[in-house]
Amino acid sequence: MGKAAAGLRGELRELVAENVPADFLGAFTDDPADLETAQGFCRVLAERGLLCLAWPEEYGGAGASVWEQTVVREEMWAHHEPRGAQYMGVNWVGPTIMRHGTAEQRSRHLPPIARGEVIWCQGFSEPDAGSDLASLRTAARRDGDGWRISGQKIWTSYATMAQWCFLLARTSKQEKKQQGLTIFLVPMSDPAIEVRPIDCMMGPHHLNEVFFDDLKVTEADVLGDVDGGWKVVQEVLSFERVGIARYARCERLLRLAPEVLGDRWDDLPDELRGRWAGALTRCRRARLLAYQVVAAQDRGAVRPGDAAAYRIAVTKLDQESAEVLMEIVGSAPPDGEQGRIFRREVEDHWRYAQASTVASGSIEVQRILLARAMLAAS
Amino acid sequence: MNIELSEEAAEYGRQALEAFKAAGGDGLVQQAEAEPGHRAEQVAPVLAELGAWDLDARGDADELEAAAALCRSAGYWAVPYPVAERLARPADLGTDGLVVVAGTAPAGAVAGLDLRWTAVTPDGRRATAAALPPAAPPRESAFVTGLALTPLDEAGAADAALGLVLPCWTLLGMLDRAIDLAREHVLVREQFGRPLAQFQGVQFQLTDAEVERSGLEMMARYALWSGQANLPEALDDALALRLAALEAAETVFRVAHQLHGAIGFCDESPLSWISRYSQPVRRLPLGLSATRDLLARRLGRHALTGRYGDVAERVTS
């Protein structure tokens, strides 16, 4: 992984310790102070050139190695993602605009992302288009020199706080449903957009419905080619080969458990401590599978099957570790302030983990991708 | 941390795979079962030709990787010979091989070989070991026999780590084969007018197996590196590998048998042989529960140490 990456890990941990309260559980809570913490932390990262570390220098980044990017992913997720929703803008909205945006789109959107000032949401899923994304029906029709967009998106994270939406809509009906889709960059402040939050077990701001009622956009809001959106979406997914470093939070909480429980750790059933050891083993396994993909990424030769195998392993790990940790804190509730914080972290982890095999491409889709790779002619 | 095997080691593994195939492939274990007295003769020339006993698994990182690749290739064909155990032989005792033992009935898959053995417990107690006459034919015992131990010393911590790691590479080769066999079978076998591979229920079982196999491969590389680097936690890493290997084996063989259907139980199917001859390495010296239990007891209140950067991972709150 190298010295630069190891040094970066230390720097990030120090910054988290200095700037993020010990009981921080993410930016998306009912307490506005948490969002402020995330925004402040993004400014700190941006000042040090750490927010867009992976971006090319011309856009305010540092051209960091894939290993440094891995360290950022791990440390941020391990500490409840103190960047808030920024990872979406930084990890793929920005890079996609760099690649497909016009000069005007690049100068308009990239600097605010690099400064951590703007939140993006992703307008992909619809009530009848989840894993089968290309079936989406939100439609954009030509209107003079622009477009009118109508339709509904669902499960849209951060839509209540986002300033911009990376929206996928149907612009024509063609032979294949993957054809005729186009990406629009639309401002969420437009009155033709209505956001309705959905109460859910992950907490506020995670799931929303977004309605577009004859939203007027211009040609300048189209990203890439009209009807060429599917290709861009595939690229977006390739930016997210490794995705969230879920193993980092699992491992951090599993490591902390005996420290927080103290002598009560020894009273846990042997079988539970065995499951704890097994979960730690699978943390290592998921991490190494991720590193295999990262190393291949570094060589420019990621095999789709490897990325899918990692994602299957890590999402299952998320749920398994959540069950083990919940049983640990249930069997011997830890005391004191550290114990209180740990119980909240574990409970939060458990709720989040329920979605890990569904969010960002379901585990079934990953299995289909892996099976395709395995059964392809050798 | 090094998670890549060298190209030389990978090439050596491929050569070994071909050499075992040329020497009989699936027939090796079948002949050995029929004529247990001749099992060494079948494979000894192949191993000698490959320079197996010139490999210094303890002295040189490249040679350790080559040894691991050789174990994997031997596992692929269920080679009926304790290749991993011989490659793990102690450097200082002049014996031919090393068997890790635990519990009150020490045993190993070393029946009927005229070799001198060292035994070591996971906590590093070493003994001279003599293989007892097998109590059952190989069809039932898969060449496992009891060992008579004469205690020697307590200097075998590194022996135990290496002695646990190399057989996991053998088991990895067996899982490679089981998945290859299952894949080939579902691509060819048709039911309801189409190949089994087209059924999603079949595909998903195959992917469950592959996730386990590929995860084990990464764990095996990590533990190999950890032992070679003489890390203080090398034994914990070896036990973590063993735990991953045993869990993977349970899933992979379950899936491979299920997807083969009845043909997979027949002697004409290589799967039945690989499956039966995977038993010794999966049960000895510690089965799944005992491995997990020992790892948890050794860890106590400390998680596995991970060395993924230049420094060991530490708890942060």
Side-chain angles (χ1 to χ4, degrees), chain A residues 126-127 137-139 149-153 192 210-215:
Chain A
E126 296 186 4
R137 292 194 298 207
T138 292
I149 301 174
S150 291
Q152 182 194 349
K153 296 292 174 180
V210 184
F211 296 88
F212 300 86
D213 182 12
D214 217 23
L215 170 69

Side-chain angles (χ1 to χ4, degrees), chain A residues 236-305:
Chain A
V236 166
L237 298 177
S238 78
F239 283 130
E240 292 287 278
R241 287 278 190 216
V242 177
I244 299 169
R246 293 180 185 276
Y247 56 85
R249 189 180 300 173
C250 301
E251 190 171 308
R252 177 175 157 272
L253 293 174
L254 288 164
R255 279 176 180 278
L256 269 173
E259 183 184 304
V260 175
L261 261 65
D263 290 343
R264 304 178 72 187
W265 179 256
D266 301 331
D267 298 331
L268 292 177
D270 287 346
E271 196 226 340
L272 183 52
R273 281 182 293 171
R275 287 172 64 201
W276 169 81
L280 279 165
T281 302
R282 279 182 287 285
C283 284
R284 171 176 288 176
R285 186 178 77 163
R287 182 192 284 264
L288 294 172
L289 285 169
Y291 288 2
Q292 184 182 34
V293 177
V294 171
Q297 204 177 348
D298 206 18
R299 296 192 300 265
V302 175
R303 293 181 301 181

Side-chain angles (χ1 to χ4, degrees), chain A residues 1-3 6 9 13 79 252 255-256 258-259 262-263 265-266 273-274 276-278 280-282 284-285 287-289 291-292 295 299 309 312-313 316 364 367-368 370-371 374-378, chain B residues 1 3-4 179 183 186-187 197 200 203-204 206-208 210-212 214-215 218-219 221-222 237 240 243-244 247 292 295-296 299-306 308-310 313-317:
Chain A
M1 184 171 263
K3 280 201 166 64
R9 193 186 297 282
R13 287 186 180 177
H79 296 94
R252 177 175 157 272
R255 279 176 180 278
L256 269 173
E259 183 184 304
D263 290 343
W265 179 256
D266 301 331
R273 281 182 293 171
W276 169 81
L280 279 165
T281 302
R282 279 182 287 285
R284 171 176 288 176
R285 186 178 77 163
R287 182 192 284 264
L288 294 172
L289 285 169
Y291 288 2
Q292 184 182 34
R299 296 192 300 265
I312 294 167
K316 288 170 76 173
E364 284 77 17
R367 283 181 169 136
I368 289 168
L370 177 54
M374 289 181 75
L375 294 167
S378 52
Chain B
M1 175 189 58
I3 55 167
E4 303 282 347
I179 288 185
R183 176 185 174 277
V186 300
L187 281 168
Q200 202 168 67
Q203 293 177 2
F204 282 13
L206 211 50
T207 59
D208 285 345
E210 174 59 15
V211 169
E212 292 293 322
S214 58
M218 300 310 295
M219 295 290 287
R221 293 183 196 174
Y222 185 94
D237 293 337
L243 178 55
E247 287 178 338
R292 186 165 41 220
L295 177 62
L299 292 177
R301 297 186 196 178
H302 303 283
L304 282 171
T305 302
Y308 308 110
D310 286 359
E313 286 293 290
R314 292 194 175 82
V315 171
T316 58
S317 50

Side-chain angles (χ1 to χ4, degrees), chain A residues 58-319:
Chain A
E58 62 178 302
Y59 297 116
S65 73
V66 292
W67 295 108
E68 288 167 290
Q69 295 171 45
T70 301
V71 165
V72 173
R73 269 201 301 272
E74 289 175 354
E75 290 306 313
M76 294 299 98
W77 192 253
H79 296 94
H80 301 278
E81 192 47 89
R83 294 174 300 179
Q86 292 301 328
Y87 71 88
M88 201 181 285
V90 168
N91 283 9
W92 64 260
V93 175
T96 307
I97 292 174
M98 273 175 224
R99 226 172 143 101
H100 296 280
T102 60
E104 194 222 326
Q105 286 170 335
R106 290 201 295 268
S107 64
R108 180 178 195 179
H109 293 298
L110 296 180
I113 294 177
R115 290 193 299 268
E117 292 172 354
V118 64
I119 292 175
W120 283 77
C121 62
Q122 168 187 297
F124 284 4
S125 293
E126 296 186 4
D128 292 322
S131 293
D132 181 14
L133 179 60
S135 293
L136 63 83
R137 292 194 298 207
T138 292
R141 58 183 167 78
R142 287 271 186 197
D143 180 45
D145 60 352
W147 299 82
R148 294 265 178 187
I149 301 174
S150 291
Q152 182 194 349
K153 296 292 174 180
I154 196 167
W155 318 132
T156 316
S157 298
Y158 327 129
T160 48
M161 51 180 65
Q163 287 88 37
W164 288 91
C165 179
F166 191 95
L167 176 68
L168 188 64
R170 182 161 298 288
T171 37
S172 68
K173 195 158 186 177
Q174 302 195 16
E175 196 180 330
K176 281 187 166 178
K177 61 187 176 184
Q178 287 83 1
Q179 298 165 331
L181 298 171
T182 302
I183 290 165
F184 295 88
L185 308 177
V186 303
M188 292 296 286
S189 56
D190 195 296
I193 299 176
E194 185 192 353
V195 178
R196 292 184 199 158
I198 302 171
D199 290 337
C200 70
M201 66 192 291
M202 279 99 79
H205 306 293
H206 286 288
L207 299 180
N208 300 279
E209 290 176 292
V210 184
F211 296 88
F212 300 86
D213 182 12
D214 217 23
L215 170 69
K216 170 88 176 139
V217 298
T218 69
E219 203 63 44
D221 299 318
V222 172
L223 181 74
D225 296 332
V226 170
D227 291 345
W230 189 252
K231 190 168 153 258
V232 180
V233 168
Q234 296 305 303
E235 266 188 37
V236 166
L237 298 177
S238 78
F239 283 130
E240 292 287 278
R241 287 278 190 216
V242 177
I244 299 169
R246 293 180 185 276
Y247 56 85
R249 189 180 300 173
C250 301
E251 190 171 308
R252 177 175 157 272
L253 293 174
L254 288 164
R255 279 176 180 278
L256 269 173
E259 183 184 304
V260 175
L261 261 65
D263 290 343
R264 304 178 72 187
W265 179 256
D266 301 331
D267 298 331
L268 292 177
D270 287 346
E271 196 226 340
L272 183 52
R273 281 182 293 171
R275 287 172 64 201
W276 169 81
L280 279 165
T281 302
R282 279 182 287 285
C283 284
R284 171 176 288 176
R285 186 178 77 163
R287 182 192 284 264
L288 294 172
L289 285 169
Y291 288 2
Q292 184 182 34
V293 177
V294 171
Q297 204 177 348
D298 206 18
R299 296 192 300 265
V302 175
R303 293 181 301 181
D306 288 345
Y310 157 68
R311 290 182 79 132
I312 294 167
V314 83
T315 51
K316 288 170 76 173
L317 164 70
D318 220 34
Q319 293 173 351

Side-chain angles (χ1 to χ4, degrees), chain B residues 149-236:
Chain B
L149 306 185
T150 309
L152 265 181
D153 59 26
E154 297 185 355
D159 289 326
L162 184 65
L164 286 167
V165 166
L166 286 181
C168 289
W169 280 85
T170 309
L171 186 54
L172 173 61
M174 291 177 156
L175 303 198
D176 291 337
R177 185 72 195 288
I179 288 185
D180 281 357
L181 290 168
R183 176 185 174 277
E184 288 159 17
H185 180 76
V186 300
L187 281 168
V188 171
R189 170 75 171 161
E190 292 195 4
Q191 290 286 276
F192 304 103
R194 53 186 173 138
L196 291 177
Q198 290 183 11
F199 292 89
Q200 202 168 67
V202 168
Q203 293 177 2
F204 282 13
Q205 290 188 57
L206 211 50
T207 59
D208 285 345
E210 174 59 15
V211 169
E212 292 293 322
R213 191 211 61 81
S214 58
L216 168 58
E217 182 173 352
M218 300 310 295
M219 295 290 287
R221 293 183 196 174
Y222 185 94
L224 196 69
W225 166 79
S226 165
Q228 206 280 327
N230 279 320
L231 300 183
E233 68 273 16
L235 184 58
D236 294 338

